[in-house]
Amino acid sequence: MLTMRDKEIIANINKFRVMDRDSVSELHFANLKQPVTAANAVLLRLLRDGHIQRSTSFVPYVYFSADNRVKKNSAKIGHWLAILDVYKQMRRHGAVQSFTVEPKLGAKGEVEPDIYATFRKTSFYIEVQRTQYSEKVMNAKLKRYIELYSSHPFRHLIIITDIQYKIPKDIPFRVFQASSFDDFMSLFNAKTSISISGSDGIKVVVR
């Protein structure tokens, strides 16, 4: 019989598409003295009982849902793990009210965010860029967000990237660029006072 923790682990694996052992340990066993050992034991049991799948192509191993059809060495896995890392960083900084992976907002070819999240009562679309985009590709992506804004206004877009892209000045929403969510928070901690709460969203006051 599955325990409540088992069900929560399976639900998160389904939500994030893939989870590595250390992330399962952090999110579900952090209150134990030996979280990694406990995570290993539970994941092995769930694997043996057919509730999840595993790939040994990564270290630590990564786990998928029971009905997963993604290749066990797919390049997409690294992208999903990067999205998972954003979630882990976000929850260390405060309450995460919602976190949707790759929300479907329209037909193929329309904007396809990596994340839609509500953090400290403020909503964000988040792009996780693990490769460098050309200026043309990035502008096309931003254009799709502008089209989304025209029908469903929103306030904030965060781009997780090691590359600083040139952002057009006439974009009707705030665009932040940072190498990680931790760095996004550090940006404000170092240079500004920040309030991320309430319907007014982000308020930045320069010190």
Coordinates of all heavy atoms in Angstrom, one line a residue, residues 9-92:
I9 N 5.5 11.9 -3.6 CA 6.7 11.7 -4.4 C 6.3 11.4 -5.9 O 6.8 12.1 -6.8 CB 7.6 10.6 -3.9 CG1 8.3 11.0 -2.6 CG2 8.7 10.2 -4.9 CD1 9.0 9.8 -1.9
I10 N 5.4 10.5 -6.1 CA 4.9 10.2 -7.4 C 4.2 11.4 -8.1 O 4.5 11.7 -9.2 CB 3.9 9.0 -7.3 CG1 4.6 7.7 -6.9 CG2 3.2 8.8 -8.7 CD1 3.7 6.6 -6.6
A11 N 3.5 12.2 -7.3 CA 2.8 13.4 -7.8 C 3.8 14.4 -8.3 O 3.7 15.0 -9.3 CB 1.9 14.0 -6.8
N12 N 4.9 14.5 -7.5 CA 6.0 15.5 -7.9 C 6.7 15.0 -9.1 O 7.1 15.8 -10.0 CB 6.9 15.8 -6.7 CG 6.5 17.0 -6.0 OD1 5.7 17.8 -6.4 ND2 7.1 17.1 -4.8
I13 N 7.0 13.7 -9.2 CA 7.7 13.2 -10.4 C 6.8 13.4 -11.6 O 7.3 13.8 -12.7 CB 8.0 11.7 -10.2 CG1 9.1 11.5 -9.2 CG2 8.4 11.0 -11.6 CD1 9.3 10.0 -8.8
N14 N 5.5 13.2 -11.5 CA 4.6 13.5 -12.6 C 4.6 15.0 -12.9 O 4.6 15.4 -14.1 CB 3.2 13.1 -12.3 CG 3.0 11.6 -12.2 OD1 3.8 10.8 -12.8 ND2 2.0 11.1 -11.4
K15 N 4.6 15.8 -11.9 CA 4.6 17.3 -12.1 C 5.8 17.8 -12.8 O 5.7 18.6 -13.8 CB 4.4 18.0 -10.7 CG 4.5 19.5 -10.7 CD 4.3 20.0 -9.3 CE 4.4 21.5 -9.3 NZ 4.2 22.1 -7.9
F16 N 7.0 17.4 -12.4 CA 8.2 17.9 -12.9 C 8.8 17.1 -14.1 O 9.8 17.4 -14.6 CB 9.3 18.0 -11.8 CG 9.0 19.0 -10.7 CD1 8.6 18.6 -9.5 CD2 9.1 20.4 -11.0 CE1 8.3 19.5 -8.5 CE2 8.8 21.3 -10.0 CZ 8.4 20.9 -8.8
R17 N 8.0 16.0 -14.5 CA 8.4 15.1 -15.6 C 9.5 14.2 -15.2 O 9.6 13.0 -15.6 CB 8.8 15.9 -16.8 CG 7.9 17.1 -17.2 CD 6.5 16.6 -17.7 NE 5.8 17.7 -18.4 CZ 5.0 18.6 -17.8 NH1 4.8 18.5 -16.5 NH2 4.4 19.5 -18.6
V18 N 10.5 14.7 -14.4 CA 11.6 13.9 -14.0 C 12.2 14.5 -12.7 O 12.1 15.7 -12.5 CB 12.7 13.8 -15.1 CG1 13.3 15.2 -15.3 CG2 13.9 12.9 -14.7
M19 N 12.7 13.6 -11.8 CA 13.3 14.1 -10.6 C 14.6 13.3 -10.3 O 14.5 12.0 -10.5 CB 12.4 14.0 -9.4 CG 11.2 15.0 -9.4 SD 10.2 14.9 -7.9 CE 11.3 15.7 -6.7
D20 N 15.6 13.9 -9.9 CA 16.8 13.2 -9.4 C 16.7 12.8 -8.0 O 15.9 13.4 -7.2 CB 18.1 14.0 -9.7 CG 18.0 15.3 -8.9 OD1 17.3 16.2 -9.3 OD2 18.7 15.4 -7.9
R21 N 17.5 11.8 -7.6 CA 17.4 11.3 -6.2 C 17.6 12.4 -5.1 O 16.9 12.5 -4.1 CB 18.5 10.2 -6.0 CG 18.5 9.5 -4.7 CD 19.2 10.2 -3.6 NE 20.5 10.7 -3.9 CZ 21.7 10.0 -4.0 NH1 21.7 8.7 -3.7 NH2 22.8 10.6 -4.3
D22 N 18.6 13.3 -5.4 CA 18.9 14.4 -4.4 C 17.7 15.3 -4.3 O 17.5 15.9 -3.2 CB 20.2 15.1 -4.8 CG 21.4 14.3 -4.6 OD1 21.3 13.2 -4.0 OD2 22.5 14.7 -5.0
S23 N 17.0 15.6 -5.3 CA 15.8 16.5 -5.2 C 14.7 15.8 -4.5 O 14.0 16.5 -3.7 CB 15.3 16.9 -6.6 OG 16.3 17.7 -7.3
V24 N 14.5 14.5 -4.7 CA 13.5 13.8 -3.9 C 13.9 13.9 -2.4 O 13.0 14.1 -1.6 CB 13.4 12.3 -4.4 CG1 12.5 11.5 -3.5 CG2 12.9 12.3 -5.8
S25 N 15.2 13.7 -2.1 CA 15.6 13.7 -0.8 C 15.4 15.1 -0.1 O 14.9 15.2 1.0 CB 17.2 13.4 -0.7 OG 17.7 13.6 0.5
E26 N 15.7 16.2 -0.9 CA 15.5 17.5 -0.3 C 14.0 17.9 -0.1 O 13.7 18.5 0.9 CB 16.1 18.5 -1.3 CG 15.9 20.0 -0.9 CD 16.5 21.0 -1.8 OE1 17.4 20.6 -2.6 OE2 16.1 22.2 -1.8
L27 N 13.2 17.5 -1.1 CA 11.8 17.9 -1.0 C 10.9 17.0 -0.1 O 9.9 17.5 0.4 CB 11.2 17.9 -2.4 CG 11.8 18.9 -3.4 CD1 11.1 18.8 -4.7 CD2 11.7 20.3 -2.9
H28 N 11.3 15.8 0.1 CA 10.5 14.8 0.8 C 11.1 14.2 2.1 O 10.4 13.6 2.9 CB 10.0 13.7 -0.1 CG 9.2 14.2 -1.2 ND1 7.8 14.5 -1.1 CD2 9.5 14.5 -2.5 CE1 7.3 15.0 -2.2 NE2 8.3 14.9 -3.1
F29 N 12.4 14.3 2.3 CA 13.0 13.7 3.4 C 13.9 14.6 4.2 O 14.8 14.1 5.0 CB 13.8 12.4 2.9 CG 13.0 11.4 2.3 CD1 12.8 11.4 0.9 CD2 12.4 10.4 3.0 CE1 12.0 10.4 0.3 CE2 11.6 9.4 2.4 CZ 11.4 9.4 1.1
A30 N 13.8 15.9 4.0 CA 14.7 16.8 4.7 C 14.6 16.8 6.2 O 15.6 17.2 6.9 CB 14.5 18.2 4.2
N31 N 13.5 16.3 6.7 CA 13.3 16.3 8.2 C 14.0 15.1 8.8 O 14.0 15.0 10.1 CB 11.8 16.3 8.5 CG 11.1 15.1 8.0 OD1 11.4 14.7 6.8 ND2 10.2 14.6 8.7
L32 N 14.6 14.2 8.1 CA 15.2 13.0 8.6 C 16.7 13.2 8.8 O 17.3 14.0 8.2 CB 14.9 11.8 7.7 CG 13.4 11.5 7.4 CD1 13.3 10.2 6.6 CD2 12.6 11.3 8.7
K33 N 17.3 12.3 9.7 CA 18.7 12.4 10.0 C 19.5 12.0 8.8 O 20.6 12.5 8.5 CB 19.0 11.6 11.2 CG 18.5 12.1 12.5 CD 19.0 11.3 13.7 CE 18.5 11.8 15.0 NZ 18.9 11.0 16.1
Q34 N 19.0 11.0 8.0 CA 19.7 10.5 6.8 C 18.8 10.6 5.6 O 18.3 9.5 5.1 CB 20.2 9.1 7.0 CG 21.3 9.0 8.2 CD 21.8 7.6 8.3 OE1 21.0 6.6 8.5 NE2 23.1 7.4 8.4
P35 N 18.5 11.8 5.1 CA 17.5 11.9 4.0 C 17.9 11.2 2.8 O 17.0 10.6 2.1 CB 17.5 13.4 3.8 CG 18.8 13.9 4.4 CD 19.1 13.1 5.5
V36 N 19.2 11.1 2.4 CA 19.5 10.4 1.1 C 19.3 8.9 1.3 O 18.8 8.3 0.3 CB 21.0 10.7 0.8 CG1 21.5 9.9 -0.4 CG2 21.2 12.2 0.4
T37 N 19.7 8.4 2.4 CA 19.5 6.9 2.6 C 18.0 6.6 2.6 O 17.6 5.6 1.9 CB 20.0 6.5 4.0 OG1 21.4 6.8 4.0 CG2 19.8 5.0 4.2
A38 N 17.2 7.4 3.2 CA 15.7 7.2 3.2 C 15.1 7.3 1.8 O 14.3 6.5 1.4 CB 15.0 8.2 4.1
A39 N 15.6 8.3 1.1 CA 15.1 8.5 -0.3 C 15.5 7.3 -1.2 O 14.6 6.9 -2.0 CB 15.7 9.8 -0.9
N40 N 16.7 6.8 -1.1 CA 17.1 5.7 -1.8 C 16.2 4.5 -1.6 O 15.8 3.8 -2.5 CB 18.6 5.3 -1.5 CG 19.6 6.2 -2.2 OD1 19.3 6.7 -3.3 ND2 20.7 6.3 -1.7
A41 N 15.9 4.2 -0.3 CA 15.1 3.1 0.0 C 13.7 3.2 -0.5 O 13.2 2.2 -1.1 CB 15.1 2.9 1.6
V42 N 13.1 4.3 -0.4 CA 11.7 4.5 -0.9 C 11.6 4.5 -2.4 O 10.8 3.8 -3.0 CB 11.1 5.8 -0.3 CG1 9.8 6.1 -1.0 CG2 10.9 5.8 1.2
L43 N 12.6 5.1 -3.1 CA 12.6 5.1 -4.5 C 12.8 3.7 -5.1 O 12.2 3.3 -6.1 CB 13.7 6.1 -5.0 CG 13.4 7.5 -4.9 CD1 14.6 8.4 -5.1 CD2 12.3 8.0 -5.8
L44 N 13.7 2.9 -4.4 CA 13.9 1.5 -4.9 C 12.6 0.7 -4.7 O 12.3 -0.1 -5.6 CB 15.0 0.9 -4.1 CG 15.4 -0.5 -4.5 CD1 15.8 -0.6 -5.9 CD2 16.6 -1.0 -3.6
R45 N 11.9 0.9 -3.6 CA 10.7 0.2 -3.4 C 9.6 0.6 -4.5 O 8.9 -0.3 -5.0 CB 10.1 0.5 -2.0 CG 8.7 -0.1 -1.7 CD 8.3 0.0 -0.3 NE 8.5 1.3 0.3 CZ 7.6 2.3 0.1 NH1 6.5 2.1 -0.7 NH2 7.7 3.5 0.6
L46 N 9.5 1.9 -4.7 CA 8.5 2.3 -5.7 C 8.9 1.8 -7.1 O 8.0 1.5 -7.9 CB 8.4 3.9 -5.7 CG 7.9 4.5 -4.5 CD1 8.0 6.1 -4.6 CD2 6.4 4.1 -4.2
L47 N 10.2 1.8 -7.4 CA 10.6 1.2 -8.7 C 10.3 -0.3 -8.8 O 9.8 -0.7 -9.8 CB 12.2 1.4 -8.8 CG 12.8 0.9 -10.1 CD1 12.4 1.7 -11.3 CD2 14.4 1.0 -9.9
R48 N 10.6 -1.0 -7.8 CA 10.4 -2.5 -7.8 C 8.9 -2.8 -7.9 O 8.5 -3.8 -8.6 CB 10.9 -3.1 -6.5 CG 12.4 -3.2 -6.5 CD 12.9 -3.7 -5.2 NE 14.3 -4.0 -5.2 CZ 15.1 -4.2 -4.1 NH1 14.5 -4.3 -2.9 NH2 16.4 -4.4 -4.2
D49 N 8.0 -1.9 -7.3 CA 6.6 -2.1 -7.4 C 5.9 -1.6 -8.6 O 4.7 -1.7 -8.8 CB 5.9 -1.5 -6.2 CG 6.3 -2.2 -4.9 OD1 6.8 -3.3 -4.9 OD2 6.0 -1.7 -3.8
G50 N 6.7 -1.0 -9.5 CA 6.2 -0.5 -10.8 C 5.6 0.8 -10.8 O 4.9 1.2 -11.8
H51 N 5.7 1.6 -9.7 CA 5.1 2.9 -9.6 C 5.9 4.0 -10.3 O 5.3 5.1 -10.6 CB 4.9 3.3 -8.2 CG 4.0 2.3 -7.4 ND1 2.6 2.2 -7.7 CD2 4.2 1.5 -6.4 CE1 2.1 1.3 -6.9 NE2 3.0 0.9 -6.1
I52 N 7.2 3.8 -10.6 CA 8.0 4.8 -11.2 C 9.0 4.0 -12.1 O 9.2 2.8 -12.0 CB 8.8 5.7 -10.2 CG1 9.6 4.8 -9.3 CG2 7.8 6.5 -9.4 CD1 10.5 5.6 -8.3
Q53 N 9.7 4.8 -13.0 CA 10.8 4.3 -13.8 C 12.1 5.0 -13.4 O 12.0 6.1 -12.7 CB 10.5 4.5 -15.3 CG 9.3 3.8 -15.8 CD 9.1 4.0 -17.3 OE1 10.1 3.8 -18.1 NE2 7.9 4.3 -17.8
R54 N 13.2 4.5 -13.8 CA 14.5 5.0 -13.5 C 15.4 5.0 -14.7 O 15.4 4.1 -15.5 CB 15.1 4.2 -12.3 CG 16.5 4.7 -11.8 CD 17.0 3.9 -10.7 NE 17.4 2.6 -11.1 CZ 17.8 1.6 -10.3 NH1 17.9 1.8 -9.0 NH2 18.2 0.4 -10.7
S55 N 16.3 6.0 -14.7 CA 17.4 6.1 -15.7 C 18.7 6.1 -14.9 O 18.9 6.9 -14.0 CB 17.3 7.3 -16.6 OG 18.5 7.4 -17.4
T56 N 19.6 5.2 -15.2 CA 21.0 5.2 -14.6 C 22.0 5.9 -15.5 O 23.2 5.8 -15.2 CB 21.4 3.7 -14.4 OG1 21.4 3.0 -15.6 CG2 20.5 3.0 -13.4
S57 N 21.5 6.6 -16.5 CA 22.4 7.4 -17.3 C 22.9 8.7 -16.6 O 23.8 9.4 -17.2 CB 21.7 7.8 -18.6 OG 21.4 6.6 -19.4
F58 N 22.3 9.0 -15.5 CA 22.6 10.2 -14.8 C 23.1 9.8 -13.3 O 22.7 8.8 -12.8 CB 21.4 11.1 -14.6 CG 20.9 11.6 -16.0 CD1 20.1 10.8 -16.8 CD2 21.3 12.9 -16.4 CE1 19.6 11.3 -18.0 CE2 20.8 13.4 -17.6 CZ 20.0 12.6 -18.4
V59 N 23.9 10.7 -12.8 CA 24.4 10.5 -11.4 C 24.1 11.8 -10.6 O 24.7 12.8 -11.0 CB 25.9 10.1 -11.3 CG1 26.3 9.9 -9.8 CG2 26.1 8.8 -12.1
P60 N 23.3 11.8 -9.6 CA 22.5 10.6 -9.1 C 21.4 10.2 -10.1 O 21.1 11.0 -11.1 CB 21.9 11.1 -7.8 CG 21.8 12.6 -8.0 CD 23.0 13.0 -8.8
Y61 N 20.9 9.0 -9.9 CA 19.9 8.5 -10.8 C 18.7 9.4 -10.9 O 18.4 10.2 -10.0 CB 19.4 7.1 -10.4 CG 20.4 6.0 -10.4 CD1 20.3 4.9 -9.6 CD2 21.6 6.2 -11.2 CE1 21.3 3.9 -9.6 CE2 22.6 5.2 -11.2 CZ 22.4 4.0 -10.4 OH 23.4 3.1 -10.4
V62 N 18.0 9.4 -12.0 CA 16.7 10.2 -12.2 C 15.5 9.2 -12.4 O 15.7 8.1 -12.8 CB 16.8 11.2 -13.4 CG1 18.0 12.2 -13.1 CG2 17.0 10.4 -14.7
Y63 N 14.4 9.8 -12.0 CA 13.2 8.9 -11.9 C 12.0 9.6 -12.7 O 11.9 10.8 -12.8 CB 12.8 8.7 -10.5 CG 13.8 8.0 -9.7 CD1 14.9 8.6 -9.1 CD2 13.7 6.6 -9.5 CE1 15.9 7.9 -8.5 CE2 14.7 5.9 -8.9 CZ 15.8 6.5 -8.3 OH 16.8 5.8 -7.7
F64 N 11.2 8.7 -13.3 CA 10.1 9.2 -14.2 C 8.8 8.5 -13.7 O 8.9 7.6 -12.9 CB 10.4 8.7 -15.6 CG 11.7 9.1 -16.2 CD1 12.8 8.3 -16.0 CD2 11.9 10.3 -16.9 CE1 14.0 8.6 -16.6 CE2 13.1 10.6 -17.5 CZ 14.2 9.8 -17.3
S65 N 7.7 9.0 -14.3 CA 6.5 8.4 -14.0 C 6.4 7.0 -14.6 O 7.2 6.6 -15.5 CB 5.3 9.2 -14.5 OG 5.4 9.3 -15.9
A66 N 5.5 6.2 -14.1 CA 5.3 4.8 -14.5 C 5.0 4.7 -16.0 O 5.4 3.7 -16.7 CB 4.3 4.1 -13.7
D67 N 4.3 5.7 -16.6 CA 3.9 5.7 -18.0 C 4.8 6.5 -18.8 O 4.4 6.9 -20.0 CB 2.4 6.1 -18.1 CG 2.2 7.5 -17.6 OD1 3.1 8.1 -17.0 OD2 1.0 8.0 -17.8
N68 N 6.0 6.9 -18.3 CA 6.9 7.7 -19.1 C 7.3 7.1 -20.4 O 7.5 5.9 -20.6 CB 8.2 7.9 -18.3 CG 9.3 8.6 -19.1 OD1 9.2 9.7 -19.5 ND2 10.3 7.8 -19.4
R69 N 7.3 8.0 -21.5 CA 7.7 7.5 -22.8 C 8.9 8.3 -23.3 O 9.3 8.2 -24.5 CB 6.5 7.7 -23.8 CG 5.3 6.8 -23.4 CD 4.2 7.0 -24.4 NE 3.1 6.1 -24.1 CZ 1.9 6.1 -24.8 NH1 1.8 6.8 -25.9 NH2 0.9 5.3 -24.4
V70 N 9.5 9.1 -22.5 CA 10.7 9.9 -22.9 C 11.9 9.0 -22.8 O 12.0 8.1 -21.9 CB 10.9 11.1 -21.9 CG1 12.2 11.8 -22.2 CG2 9.7 12.0 -22.0
K71 N 12.8 9.1 -23.8 CA 14.0 8.3 -23.8 C 14.8 8.6 -22.6 O 14.9 9.7 -22.1 CB 14.8 8.6 -25.1 CG 14.2 8.1 -26.4 CD 15.1 8.4 -27.5 CE 14.5 7.9 -28.8 NZ 15.4 8.2 -30.0
K72 N 15.4 7.5 -22.0 CA 16.1 7.7 -20.7 C 17.3 8.5 -20.8 O 17.9 8.9 -19.7 CB 16.4 6.3 -20.2 CG 15.2 5.4 -19.9 CD 14.3 5.9 -18.9 CE 13.0 5.1 -18.7 NZ 13.3 3.7 -18.2
N73 N 17.8 8.8 -22.0 CA 19.0 9.7 -22.1 C 18.6 11.0 -22.9 O 19.5 11.6 -23.5 CB 20.1 9.0 -22.8 CG 19.8 8.5 -24.2 OD1 18.6 8.5 -24.6 ND2 20.8 8.0 -24.9
S74 N 17.3 11.3 -22.9 CA 16.9 12.5 -23.7 C 17.5 13.8 -23.2 O 17.7 14.0 -22.0 CB 15.3 12.6 -23.6 OG 14.9 13.8 -24.1
A75 N 17.8 14.7 -24.2 CA 18.3 16.0 -23.8 C 17.3 16.8 -23.1 O 17.7 17.8 -22.4 CB 18.7 16.7 -25.1
K76 N 16.0 16.5 -23.2 CA 15.0 17.2 -22.5 C 15.1 17.0 -21.0 O 14.6 17.9 -20.2 CB 13.6 16.7 -23.0 CG 12.4 17.4 -22.5 CD 12.3 18.8 -23.2 CE 11.0 19.4 -22.8 NZ 10.8 20.8 -23.3
I77 N 15.7 15.9 -20.6 CA 15.8 15.7 -19.1 C 16.6 16.8 -18.4 O 16.2 17.2 -17.3 CB 16.5 14.3 -18.9 CG1 15.6 13.2 -19.4 CG2 16.8 14.1 -17.4 CD1 16.2 11.8 -19.4
G78 N 17.7 17.2 -19.0 CA 18.5 18.3 -18.4 C 17.7 19.6 -18.2 O 17.8 20.3 -17.3
H79 N 16.8 19.9 -19.2 CA 16.0 21.0 -19.2 C 15.0 20.9 -18.0 O 14.8 21.9 -17.2 CB 15.2 21.2 -20.5 CG 14.3 22.4 -20.5 ND1 14.8 23.7 -20.5 CD2 13.0 22.5 -20.6 CE1 13.8 24.6 -20.6 NE2 12.7 23.9 -20.6
W80 N 14.3 19.8 -17.9 CA 13.4 19.6 -16.8 C 14.0 19.6 -15.4 O 13.5 20.2 -14.5 CB 12.6 18.2 -17.0 CG 11.6 18.2 -18.1 CD1 10.8 19.3 -18.5 CD2 11.2 17.2 -18.9 NE1 10.0 18.9 -19.5 CE2 10.2 17.6 -19.8 CE3 11.7 15.8 -19.0 CZ2 9.6 16.8 -20.7 CZ3 11.1 15.0 -19.9 CH2 10.1 15.5 -20.8
L81 N 15.2 19.1 -15.3 CA 16.0 19.2 -14.1 C 16.3 20.7 -13.7 O 16.3 21.0 -12.5 CB 17.2 18.4 -14.1 CG 17.0 16.8 -14.1 CD1 18.4 16.1 -14.3 CD2 16.3 16.3 -12.9
A82 N 16.6 21.5 -14.7 CA 16.8 22.9 -14.5 C 15.6 23.6 -14.0 O 15.6 24.5 -13.2 CB 17.3 23.5 -15.8
I83 N 14.4 23.2 -14.6 CA 13.1 23.8 -14.1 C 12.9 23.4 -12.6 O 12.5 24.2 -11.8 CB 12.0 23.3 -15.0 CG1 12.1 23.9 -16.4 CG2 10.6 23.6 -14.3 CD1 11.1 23.4 -17.4
L84 N 13.2 22.1 -12.3 CA 13.1 21.6 -10.9 C 14.0 22.4 -10.0 O 13.6 22.7 -8.9 CB 13.4 20.1 -10.9 CG 13.5 19.5 -9.5 CD1 12.2 19.6 -8.7 CD2 13.9 18.0 -9.7
D85 N 15.2 22.7 -10.5 CA 16.1 23.5 -9.7 C 15.6 24.9 -9.4 O 15.8 25.4 -8.3 CB 17.5 23.6 -10.4 CG 18.6 24.0 -9.4 OD1 18.7 23.3 -8.3 OD2 19.4 24.9 -9.7
V86 N 14.9 25.5 -10.3 CA 14.3 26.8 -10.1 C 13.2 26.7 -8.9 O 13.2 27.5 -8.0 CB 13.6 27.3 -11.3 CG1 12.7 28.6 -11.0 CG2 14.6 27.7 -12.4
Y87 N 12.5 25.6 -8.9 CA 11.5 25.4 -7.9 C 12.1 25.3 -6.5 O 11.7 25.9 -5.5 CB 10.6 24.2 -8.2 CG 9.7 23.8 -7.1 CD1 8.5 24.5 -6.8 CD2 10.0 22.7 -6.2 CE1 7.7 24.2 -5.8 CE2 9.1 22.4 -5.2 CZ 7.9 23.2 -5.0 OH 7.1 22.8 -4.0
K88 N 13.2 24.5 -6.5 CA 13.9 24.3 -5.2 C 14.5 25.6 -4.6 O 14.4 25.9 -3.4 CB 15.0 23.2 -5.3 CG 14.5 21.8 -5.6 CD 15.6 20.8 -5.5 CE 16.7 21.0 -6.6 NZ 17.7 20.0 -6.5
Q89 N 15.0 26.4 -5.5 CA 15.6 27.7 -5.1 C 14.5 28.6 -4.7 O 14.6 29.3 -3.6 CB 16.4 28.3 -6.3 CG 17.7 27.6 -6.6 CD 18.4 28.2 -7.8 OE1 18.4 29.5 -7.9 NE2 19.0 27.4 -8.6
M90 N 13.4 28.6 -5.4 CA 12.3 29.5 -5.1 C 11.7 29.2 -3.7 O 11.5 30.1 -2.9 CB 11.2 29.4 -6.1 CG 10.0 30.3 -6.0 SD 8.8 30.1 -7.3 CE 9.7 30.8 -8.7
R91 N 11.5 28.0 -3.4 CA 10.9 27.6 -2.1 C 11.8 27.9 -0.9 O 11.4 28.1 0.2 CB 10.5 26.1 -2.1 CG 11.6 25.1 -2.0 CD 11.1 23.7 -2.4 NE 10.2 23.2 -1.3 CZ 10.7 22.5 -0.2 NH1 12.0 22.4 -0.1 NH2 9.8 22.1 0.6
R92 N 13.1 28.0 -1.1 CA 14.1 28.4 -0.1 C 13.9 29.9 0.3 O 14.4 30.3 1.4 CB 15.5 28.1 -0.5 CG 15.8 26.6 -0.6 CD 17.2 26.4 -1.3 NE 17.3 25.1 -1.8 CZ 18.1 24.7 -2.8 NH1 18.8 25.7 -3.5 NH2 18.2 23.5 -3.2

